[in-house]
């Protein structure tokens, strides 16, 4: 009986992790950003009378340290514009404190693959596995993405991969428009510095944010757009996010069409370059 309960509990925990629930909470709501009382070491009875009394300094709430949204967007634009290389941009983002998601994430998820590749893929935000490893698309959806790329002869070393949001939202929730606006200057600069020939937007949020579109991904997918990349205009393709395909496997046929279109476009770019 004990073994059965252990297996049932293990299966339940695995289900929670797959659903993006990886934080335990109490039965009653807790304000985790509220100031905490200072920790005072115990003082021996004799020394207590002699020790001078000092006023306790309350901890500063995290929200008091956060920038106003408009200030954060402006700071992100300034920092991103100053980066001349991808390494500089990553270092700037590591120090940037204007996005509250940084406070709840384990680490910055900057990029994977090979900078300077002809293809750059951009998703929405990292998940739990990405947050642990510090690399985009390494969980279940990342494994599917690898198989999708392999189907047209591409590997991780042939592409450059990033996200609109470089920090994982708590519980894998959808990033707010404010969070996306703050992070947009960074991904825009990252694309410009990576300088790909083709930009692939994985999922609706990436396509809507980067291509300034309002329609859903099922209407946007398969379409080509012009994306202003510094002084260049490059081609951009919208397609379905691998996480969506895991939930809706019947839509893989649509993603396959997009992959074939990408393969054809890469051949055309190669012919022009030759």
């Amino acid at each position: 009986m004990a073994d059965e309960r252990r297996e049932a509990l293990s299966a339940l925990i695995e289900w929670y992790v797959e659903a993006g629930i990886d934080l335990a909470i109490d039965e009653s709501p807790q304000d985790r950003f509220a100031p905490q009382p200072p920790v005072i070491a115990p003082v021996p009875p004799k020394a207590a009378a002699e020790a001078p009394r000092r006023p306790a300094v309350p901890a500063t709430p995290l929200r008091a340290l956060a920038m106003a949204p408009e200030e954060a967007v402006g700071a992100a634009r300034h920092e991103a514009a100053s980066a001349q290389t991808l390494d500089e941009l990553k270092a700037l983002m590591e120090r940037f404190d204007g996005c509250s998601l940084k406070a709840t994430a384990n680490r910055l998820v900057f990029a994977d693959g090979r900078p300077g590749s002809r293809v750059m893929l951009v998703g929405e935000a990292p998940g739990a596995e990405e947050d642990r490893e510090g690399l985009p698309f390494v969980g279940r959806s990342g494994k599917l993405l690898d198989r999708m790329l392999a189907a047209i002869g591409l590997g991780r070393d042939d592409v450059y991969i990033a996200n609109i949001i470089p920090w994982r939202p708590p519980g894998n929730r959808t990033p707010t428009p404010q969070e996306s606006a703050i992070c947009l200057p960074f991904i825009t600069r990252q694309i410009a510095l990576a300088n790909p020939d083709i930009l692939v937007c994985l999922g609706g949020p990436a396509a809507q944010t980067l291509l300034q579109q309002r329609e859903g991904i099922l209407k946007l997918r398969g379409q080509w757009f012009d994306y202003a990349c510094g002084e260049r205009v490059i081609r951009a393709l919208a397609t379905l996010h691998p996480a969506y395909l895991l939930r809706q496997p019947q839509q893989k046929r649509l993603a396959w069409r997009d992959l074939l279109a990408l393969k054809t476009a890469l051949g055309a770019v190669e012919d022009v370059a030759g």
Side-chain angles (χ1 to χ4, degrees), residues 66-76:
M67 302 179 186
E70 297 79 7
E71 181 185 0
V73 172

Side-chain angles (χ1 to χ4, degrees), residues 8-93:
L9 180 59
S10 177
L12 179 61
I13 292 174
E14 290 180 3
W15 184 86
Y16 279 136
V17 171
E18 287 293 330
I21 303 171
D22 58 1
L23 297 175
I25 60 174
D26 298 331
E27 294 183 359
S28 58
Q30 299 288 332
D31 185 355
R32 301 185 186 278
F33 295 107
Q36 299 297 316
V39 178
I40 303 175
V43 181
K46 292 183 179 180
E50 301 175 359
R53 294 186 178 182
R54 297 179 180 179
V57 179
T60 304
L62 184 60
R63 66 167 68 94
L65 300 176
M67 302 179 186
E70 297 79 7
E71 181 185 0
V73 172
R77 288 174 180 165
H78 175 76
E79 294 287 347
S82 68
Q84 299 303 310
T85 66
L86 289 170
D87 287 339
E88 286 184 16
L89 180 64
K90 182 179 180 180
L92 288 170
M93 292 169 67

Side-chain angles (χ1 to χ4, degrees), residues 186-201:
F186 291 121
I187 186 60
T188 300
R189 185 60 177 159
Q190 193 171 357
I191 295 170
L193 292 172
N195 198 28
D197 291 326
I198 296 176
L199 177 67
V200 179
C201 299

Side-chain angles (χ1 to χ4, degrees), residues 129-268:
E129 192 66 28
E130 290 78 10
D131 185 49
R132 282 189 288 269
E133 297 193 25
L135 295 171
F137 287 92
V138 292
R140 289 182 63 212
S141 62
K143 291 179 174 59
L144 177 56
L145 178 61
D146 289 342
R147 295 196 296 270
M148 292 167 64
L149 293 173
I152 57 171
L154 299 176
R156 289 258 171 167
D157 291 337
D158 301 309
V159 298
Y160 185 62
I161 309 172
N163 281 304
I164 299 289
I165 307 290
W167 296 283
R168 181 203 178 199
N172 289 358
R173 67 162 172 77
T174 301
T176 66
Q178 183 181 100
E179 291 162 349
S180 296
I182 292 172
C183 295
L184 180 59
F186 291 121
I187 186 60
T188 300
R189 185 60 177 159
Q190 193 171 357
I191 295 170
L193 292 172
N195 198 28
D197 291 326
I198 296 176
L199 177 67
V200 179
C201 299
L202 298 171
Q208 292 163 353
T209 302
L210 294 177
L211 306 178
Q212 300 180 354
Q213 300 294 316
R214 294 185 178 181
E215 295 180 316
I217 189 59
L218 289 177
K219 289 187 176 181
L220 294 175
R221 59 137 298 272
Q223 296 187 51
W224 289 95
F225 300 86
D226 288 336
Y227 177 81
C229 182
E231 297 179 355
R232 299 175 60 208
V233 175
I234 63 175
R235 301 185 71 191
L237 174 67
T239 190
L240 304 173
H241 195 287
Y244 173 81
L245 296 175
L246 290 173
R247 299 190 302 269
Q248 303 287 339
Q250 70 275 11
Q251 302 287 32
K252 289 182 179 180
R253 58 186 177 82
L254 299 179
W256 175 239
R257 295 176 190 172
D258 300 340
L259 289 170
L260 291 177
L262 172 61
K263 183 178 181 180
T264 300
L266 284 172

